[in-house]
Amino acid sequence: MTGAVILSVGSATHPGRRREVNEDSFLARAPVFLVADGMGGYEAGDRASRAVVEAFDETVADGDRTTIEAVRDALTGADEAVASIAADTTRGAGSTVTGIALVDSDGTPSWLVFNVGDSRVYRHFGTELQQLTVDHSLAQELVDDGSLAPEDMRSYAQRNVITRAIGAPDSTADSWLLPVTNGERLLLCSDGLTSEVSDEAIRATLTMSGRPESAAEALVARANEAGGRDNITVVVVDVVAGGLTQAFAGEPTSTSAPAESTLDATTIPVREVRG
C-alpha cells in the first residue's frame, strides 16, 4: 500500500431561509465523506438522512483507506435502516446519498465516487469544475432524452422529483473510480446548493476561496443569498499530498459507458429493483 493521503476538509450545513428543520446530514471523516438529504417531512427526513450517516459510521472503519465491499455493506445497511423508518410513517421516508471513499486500486490511492438521488459530487482542479455524479432525477432523464436543456434544470418545476433513493424500491448506487490527485478539490453537496447556485458560481467560489472551511461557508452563504429555499449542506475535501502529481483529465461516464472509458464506471446494487 502506498503512503497516507493527506487531506484538508471543511463542511457547512444550514436549514436555509424557508425551512425550520434541517433534514440534511453529513459525514466528513476519512476514509469516507458523504452528504445525505432526507425526505419524508418533519422528523422522518431528518431520521432517514441520519440513518444513512450512522450506517457508514458503524460499517466503515476509520483509517487511510476502505474497500468497495465496505461501502457496499454500508449502503445496504443504510437502505435497510431507512426502509424501517419509512414503514413507521404515513408519508414514507427516504434519503439521497452522495459520497467519496478512499480506496486502493492496484496500489494507487483512488476515490470511489458514489451516489443515489440528486445530491452531487464535483471535482475542482485549477480553475476547472467537473460534475462527477449523474443525478437520478426526472429532470436529468429529460435532459438525457433531449426534452430539457441542461441549463434549464435549476428552474424546472419538478426538479426535486428523484428516481432513486435510499429506502425506496430502487436504491441502486452508481459509482466511479478515479485516481486521487494532489491539488484537487472535491465538493459534495445537497441539492439545496445546486438548485440555488449555478455551476459557474460554484466554480468561481471554489477558485477564489482559500481553505476548505472558507469555501464551504461561502457556498452556503451564496445559496441563502439566492433564496435558501431548501436545506443546504456542503463538504469540501482538498488533496494536499499522497496522490498523483499530474492532473487527471478524465470525463465521468454512466454505467452503460464502453469499457475503454477513462473512468471505471460500476454499479453497487443495494436492493433489488421492484416494478
Side-chain angles (χ1 to χ4, degrees):
M1 181 182 295
T2 56
V5 175
I6 300 174
L7 305 172
S8 180
V9 182
S11 59
T13 188
H14 195 280
R17 301 175 64 181
R18 307 283 185 89
R19 304 284 183 91
E20 294 183 1
V21 177
N22 192 344
E23 296 182 275
D24 289 354
S25 298
F26 68 93
L27 180 64
R29 188 186 69 248
V32 175
F33 306 86
L34 63 85
V35 168
D37 180 356
M39 300 164 287
Y42 180 68
E43 287 194 355
D46 179 34
R47 290 170 58 203
S49 68
R50 192 165 60 245
V52 173
V53 169
E54 289 173 352
F56 275 84
D57 201 26
E58 294 169 358
T59 306
V60 180
D62 295 348
D64 292 335
R65 307 281 199 281
T66 185
T67 64
I68 293 174
E69 290 75 21
V71 172
R72 181 184 294 114
D73 290 345
L75 285 165
T76 300
D79 191 63
E80 293 171 351
V82 175
S84 178
I85 292 169
D88 292 333
T89 68
T90 55
R91 295 177 54 187
S95 180
T96 71
V97 64
T98 196
I100 56 175
L102 273 172
V103 300
D104 272 308
S105 178
D106 296 326
T108 300
S110 300
W111 292 116
L112 176 68
V113 180
F114 58 92
N115 83 298
V116 182
D118 61 354
S119 295
R120 294 178 180 175
V121 175
Y122 290 87
R123 180 180 185 269
H124 181 267
F125 192 87
T127 60
E128 300 298 319
L129 184 71
Q130 178 184 23
Q131 183 179 330
L132 298 181
T133 56
V134 179
D135 294 353
H136 300 134
S137 68
L138 177 59
Q140 183 63 56
E141 289 185 354
L142 293 176
V143 169
D144 291 343
D145 69 16
S147 302
L148 183 70
E151 59 269 21
D152 293 332
M153 285 182 70
R154 287 199 307 122
S155 60
Y156 179 59
Q158 294 181 290
R159 65 181 181 275
N160 293 327
V161 177
I162 63 174
T163 54
R164 299 187 201 177
I166 297 294
D170 187 353
S171 56
T172 304
D174 289 339
S175 65
W176 298 263
L177 196 65
L178 66 154
V180 174
T181 303
N182 294 341
E184 67 184 349
R185 167 169 281 186
L186 296 173
L187 166 67
L188 293 69
C189 60
S190 61
D191 70 329
L193 175 68
T194 54
S195 63
E196 300 285 12
V197 183
S198 68
D199 280 8
E200 173 54 29
I202 291 172
R203 185 202 66 79
T205 302
L206 292 173
T207 300
M208 298 301 294
S209 298
R211 294 183 58 80
E213 294 89 342
S214 300
E217 291 169 0
L219 288 168
V220 169
R222 292 196 74 150
N224 274 323
E225 289 166 3
R229 283 161 284 213
D230 200 354
N231 307 149
I232 312 147
T233 300
V234 169
V235 176
V236 178
V237 181
D238 286 358
V239 179
V240 178
L244 299 180
T245 56
Q246 69 270 29
F248 173 67
E251 292 293 332
T253 57
S254 69
T255 56
S256 59
E260 63 269 18
S261 297
T262 305
L263 286 183
D264 179 15
T266 60
T267 56
I268 305 178
V270 181
R271 295 173 74 190
E272 182 180 355
V273 178
R274 297 190 294 270

